[in-house]
Amino acid sequence: MQRRIQFWFEFASTYSYLSAMRIEQAAAQHDVVVEWHPFLLGPIFAAQGWNNSPFNIYPAKGRYMWRDMERLTAQRGLSFRQPDPFPQNGLKAARLTLSIEDQSHRARFVRAVYTAEFARGQNVSDDAVLVDCLKSTGLPDDLLDRTQDPEIKSDLIEQTKTAQAKGLFGAPSFLVGDELYWGDDRLDDAIRLAVNI
């Protein structure tokens, strides 16, 4: 049985950017397969009584997070630019991700979106930005039409409900079997568990 880790991410999530850019390499070193699962934090935050990112609701936490991102991206050799507005609306990007069945193509597209958003500060709700992300990963730009597909819309709703049912409350989250890890700083622990199951 192949070792697996589920990577649950939200395109508005700063720390998901960090994980998306390193998870495949980290997992491959231990022969662990990554499953890429986009979901929406909005409904999950609403259930907690929040109508915005906690980094906006709590300004001190937000200031810390932006400085933390500057430090971590510098350490890892990643470009970083604070997107405006924040949080970004990742609905279309999440739908597009679900429409890409091949996991390796899905991974490349996800990284392209995060790069556009957090390395270049682009707005990933913009169709032109998403088309550029598709093209840069060798995917057809007419895939953008799938964002309006009722089946894909329904799939993303179900994906978010699944995330809630599994106890996810933030992103990035990692599932190994039923064991949940939250935060980029727990990625290595999740991979270790996948290796030892």
Side-chain angles (χ1 to χ4, degrees), residues 78-97:
L78 295 171
S79 297
F80 180 65
R81 184 171 167 189
Q82 185 173 330
D84 184 26
F86 178 80
Q88 294 269 305
N89 182 342
L91 177 66
K92 287 182 191 174
R95 288 177 180 168
L96 265 176
T97 303

Side-chain angles (χ1 to χ4, degrees), residues 123-144:
N123 192 332
V124 297
S125 67
D126 186 321
D127 286 355
V129 172
L130 292 175
V131 166
D132 283 346
C133 292
L134 288 168
K135 287 180 176 177
S136 74
T137 52
L139 293 165
D141 54 5
D142 61 2
L143 202 60
L144 187 68

Side-chain angles (χ1 to χ4, degrees), residues 8-82:
W8 291 77
F9 57 92
E10 221 290 4
F11 282 111
S13 164
T14 50
Y15 290 99
S16 290
Y17 165 51
L18 297 177
S19 293
M21 304 311 278
R22 73 184 185 104
I23 189 170
E24 276 196 321
Q25 184 176 357
Q29 290 173 355
H30 301 281
D31 296 318
V32 173
V33 173
V34 180
E35 297 176 4
W36 296 71
H37 292 273
F39 73 111
L40 299 178
L41 276 172
I44 292 172
F45 283 172
Q48 297 176 61
W50 298 342
N51 62 359
N52 201 334
S53 165
F55 297 122
N56 287 341
I57 294 171
Y58 305 105
K61 189 173 189 176
R63 286 190 298 273
Y64 174 84
M65 180 273 293
W66 291 121
R67 182 64 191 120
D68 196 39
M69 286 295 295
E70 289 171 351
R71 289 190 299 248
L72 289 169
T73 51
Q75 287 170 13
R76 298 179 190 185
L78 295 171
S79 297
F80 180 65
R81 184 171 167 189
Q82 185 173 330

